Amino acid sequence: MKKVKRKAGEKRSQIAAMPIRRAADGSPEILLVTSRTTRRWIVPKGWPMKGLKDHDAAAREAFEEAGVVGRISDTPAGRYTYWKRMRDHFTLCEVKLYLLEVEQQLENWAEQHERDLHWFKLADAADLVDEPELGTAIRELETQLVLAA
């Protein structure tokens, strides 16, 4: 694996899906997954993929990490930054968030034995995630969804 030299303080880019659906009562829910190493609640995310637009890469992450497919927005619904734990250091990442309207949840998917997943009300999900900026983005999502309805 080739290491890329970065300037001190330079952010690395990541992409993420915010899988959403409507609960039986009509309220919006978001699907969170656990990270593989620290088991924190997060949204499906990863590095940009060569040959894929960022929103398509975010949809692929949701498919691999959570077994969900649907319609992905082509523009970010938000962004957040966090410190990613690497093997021997931390790196600052900026994550672009894309809304994924879930149409199907698969019974089997690539990382199902590596992660837990659960649908949460937006306020609960915002409280559960460790990254404050992600929590804020999830809280703001409720406003966006109400305006879009």
Side-chain angles (χ1 to χ4, degrees), residues 92-107:
L92 186 61
C93 293
E94 180 179 66
V95 184
K96 288 190 274 187
L97 296 163
Y98 294 90
L99 278 183
L100 174 70
E101 292 181 49
V102 174
E103 296 170 342
Q104 184 180 11
Q105 189 168 358
L106 306 174
E107 289 185 29

Side-chain angles (χ1 to χ4, degrees), residues 120-139:
F120 293 99
K121 300 285 185 201
L122 298 181
D124 294 337
D127 289 341
L128 282 170
V129 296
D130 281 345
E131 291 83 13
E133 291 180 34
L134 177 56
T136 298
I138 292 171
R139 282 185 184 86

Side-chain angles (χ1 to χ4, degrees), residues 33-51:
V33 299
T34 54
S35 64
R36 287 190 285 203
T37 53
T38 61
R39 310 302 291 171
R40 296 175 346 277
W41 287 109
I42 60 172
V43 291
K45 70 177 181 321
W47 305 108
M49 297 177 192
K50 192 174 215 129

Side-chain angles (χ1 to χ4, degrees), residues 5 13 18 29 31 35 38 50 70 85-86 106 139:
K5 292 251 185 207
S13 294
M18 296 176 77
E29 294 181 319
L31 184 66
S35 64
T38 61
K50 192 174 215 129
R85 179 190 308 259
M86 305 299 272
L106 306 174
R139 282 185 184 86

